[in-house]
Amino acid sequence: MNAKKMIELLQQHHPHIGETEAYILINQAKNEFCQDTEIVKNQGTFTTTAGTLLYDLNLLAGSSILKILDVWIGDSGSEIKASRLQGTLKIKDSV
């Protein structure tokens, strides 16, 4: 179903809603659905630097990150899955 048909269907049940408001509501529903179901999953890689604890993850793939599922360390073909941290990280950053 394309956007035009979705708007027509929405306006049949809610005739007071204009086209712009309908687009906003449809996009909001799409975003909530994708976040709740975790249907959109991407992967990305970046190079780390020794001694650095914090990285700007928004630079990764040029998009915002909702949730990190797994972290793999190493070169392709020989990588290992990093275990999840439990509790509070007790390493101080030396900035």
Side-chain angles (χ1 to χ4, degrees):
M1 179 181 294
N2 62 25
K4 186 75 172 165
K5 289 181 182 178
M6 283 189 248
I7 290 172
E8 288 172 359
L9 182 63
L10 184 62
Q11 287 177 332
Q12 282 180 0
H13 297 281
H14 305 279
H16 63 282
I17 292 177
E19 190 171 320
T20 303
E21 185 178 2
Y23 272 118
I24 292 169
L25 292 171
I26 290 169
N27 282 325
Q28 182 180 357
K30 174 205 49 125
N31 291 341
E32 290 174 5
F33 175 80
C34 290
Q35 185 173 358
D36 292 346
T37 61
E38 296 179 358
I39 196 169
V40 177
K41 293 183 182 179
N42 294 324
Q43 72 177 38
T45 61
F46 65 96
T47 304
T48 59
T49 305
T52 302
L53 294 177
L54 301 173
Y55 295 91
D56 184 3
L57 296 179
N58 288 326
L59 297 176
L60 184 63
S63 62
S64 60
I65 295 175
L66 299 176
K67 184 177 186 180
I68 296 175
L69 301 174
D70 296 312
V71 174
W72 294 83
I73 302 169
D75 296 324
S76 181
S78 63
E79 67 268 8
I80 59 171
K81 184 177 174 181
S83 59
R84 290 197 174 265
L85 295 174
Q86 299 293 321
T88 304
L89 184 61
K90 296 181 181 179
I91 300 171
K92 292 185 179 179
D93 195 1
S94 57
V95 175

